Amino acid sequence: MQNGKPQKRKRNMSLHYSAVVLIVLIIFSVLSVTVLFNIETAMVMGSSIYTADEIIAVSGIEGGDNMIRKNLGKAEKAITSELIYIEEARIKRKLPSSVEIVIVPCVETASLQDEGGFMIVSETGKILRISEEPAEDTQVFYGANPAEELKIGDTFRSEDEAKTDVVYKLMELAENKFVSEITSFDVNDRLNISCLYDNRIDIEMGVITDVDYKFKLANEIISTRISPDAEGRLKMLENGAQFLSKADLEQIEATFRHNSEMVSETVTEETAVETSDEPSEDTNTSTKLNFE
């Protein structure tokens, strides 16, 4: 029985210490959200077109705010929503009384054709502004078909969800040296995407599938098999590619135009004969030609 008393006393001491620690933690927790860790200074890091005062004001952070209770996620969202040319804002607590706001600025990356102008967007698709002309040093996208309800500050999406994926995939490749030389993309038909390389070679890519390989092959062909000043059209095929020079394309166009004129003349002659043989009361006749 005597041997049990020290053990009982030891358990009581452990409970006593645990209670003390719990009380201390409770007191510390209460103080941390009332008296301790109140914000005295806020620092802004990273370049931006906005001043530090503008950024801090929009964040809603004020001197005396408790940094533990302050919803920093909400403050970050307020900065990127209100200040259009800020891509990302990260707010870090610097105990005991400071916060650091790290800013990532937006960079105009692409110009997406819209009715009457272009949507200028950042690399993440954030709509920065609307312009009558494409922004300088950006890749231009024709036929992106932005959703009607989009406004400045929103993230771009197309009326065609699949086309949205196509646009973002092509934007992701912009850092590729070869792709950076592409001045514009035409995604009007997302099943037959084309682009203009170096303002001189049209590349018909087809669907977005295996686009990385297609660009790699196009780069190899243009750099090793086509003269540096050549103009024309490069069509990516299932098992390779085909290049037609500007002269070839002009000849094809001339031949097509000649054949069209011949067909038109033949149809006109046949119509004139039929009209003279069988007069019609309707004098507003017309002929519709379908070419497939």
Side-chain angles (χ1 to χ4, degrees):
M1 294 294 295
Q2 293 181 351
N3 292 337
K5 290 183 179 180
Q7 293 179 356
K8 184 176 181 181
R9 189 179 299 113
K10 187 175 182 180
R11 285 197 300 270
N12 290 338
M13 290 297 293
S14 297
L15 291 173
H16 174 73
Y17 287 135
S18 297
V20 171
V21 170
L22 179 61
I23 293 172
V24 170
L25 290 175
I26 292 173
I27 293 173
F28 179 79
S29 298
V30 172
L31 291 176
S32 67
V33 296
T34 54
V35 178
L36 301 177
F37 308 131
N38 288 338
I39 299 173
E40 296 180 3
T41 59
M43 300 174 290
V44 177
M45 310 294 289
S47 61
S48 173
I49 64 173
Y50 306 102
T51 66
D53 289 341
E54 288 176 315
I55 294 171
I56 293 171
V58 168
S59 73
I61 295 174
E62 298 180 350
D65 287 345
N66 185 272
M67 69 170 61
I68 304 300
R69 287 189 299 157
K70 188 69 176 180
N71 188 335
L72 299 186
K74 183 178 180 180
E76 293 171 345
K77 187 175 181 180
I79 293 173
T80 56
S81 298
E82 295 293 329
L83 303 178
I84 300 301
Y85 273 80
I86 291 182
E87 191 79 77
E88 183 181 3
R90 298 189 299 271
I91 303 179
K92 302 177 182 179
R93 295 179 176 90
K94 297 290 184 179
L95 300 178
S97 59
S98 297
V99 292
E100 181 181 270
I101 305 174
V102 181
I103 296 299
V104 178
C106 289
V107 177
E108 294 184 348
T109 303
S111 299
L112 310 180
Q113 185 186 36
D114 193 15
E115 292 184 4
F118 293 85
M119 285 184 174
I120 313 303
V121 303
S122 70
E123 60 183 348
T124 64
K126 186 178 184 181
I127 302 171
L128 306 178
R129 61 188 176 94
I130 306 297
S131 173
E132 293 182 357
E133 301 292 336
E136 292 185 6
D137 301 323
T138 63
Q139 290 180 324
V140 181
F141 284 77
Y142 295 102
N145 301 128
E148 292 184 0
E149 66 274 16
L150 292 177
K151 60 184 183 300
I152 293 175
D154 290 343
T155 300
F156 165 79
R157 68 180 185 281
S158 174
E159 292 285 358
D160 181 347
E161 185 177 347
K163 190 175 288 188
T164 300
D165 296 335
V166 168
V167 170
Y168 279 111
K169 177 61 177 178
L170 294 173
M171 286 175 59
E172 287 175 5
L173 297 172
E175 293 184 2
N176 179 289
K177 184 178 180 181
F178 175 78
V179 181
S180 67
E181 295 295 324
I182 294 175
T183 53
S184 66
F185 290 95
D186 188 332
V187 294
N188 276 286
D189 182 357
R190 60 180 175 80
L191 300 180
N192 188 24
I193 303 165
S194 63
C195 57
L196 180 60
Y197 175 81
D198 195 27
N199 286 314
R200 61 188 179 88
I201 297 178
D202 286 306
I203 304 176
E204 290 187 10
M205 300 166 53
V207 297
I208 194 68
T209 306
D210 297 327
V211 64
D212 302 78
Y213 168 75
K214 291 174 183 177
F215 278 137
K216 182 178 180 180
L217 178 59
N219 181 30
E220 180 181 350
I221 293 172
I222 292 174
S223 60
T224 62
R225 304 182 187 181
I226 299 175
S227 62
D229 57 348
E231 298 180 30
R233 183 178 67 201
L234 179 64
K235 185 173 184 178
M236 309 308 295
L237 304 174
E238 185 176 351
N239 296 314
Q242 178 188 62
F243 178 74
L244 293 174
S245 68
K246 184 179 180 180
D248 293 332
L249 295 172
E250 290 175 347
Q251 181 60 47
I252 293 172
E253 176 64 23
T255 301
F256 175 79
R257 197 163 48 243
H258 174 73
N259 292 339
S260 297
E261 291 172 354
M262 293 293 291
V263 171
S264 179
E265 289 175 2
T266 301
V267 172
T268 301
E269 291 174 358
E270 292 176 353
T271 304
V273 171
E274 292 175 359
T275 302
S276 62
D277 292 341
E278 300 178 6
S280 173
E281 295 180 359
D282 184 1
T283 59
N284 295 320
T285 58
S286 61
T287 303
K288 181 179 180 182
L289 302 178
N290 293 317
F291 296 93
E292 297 182 358

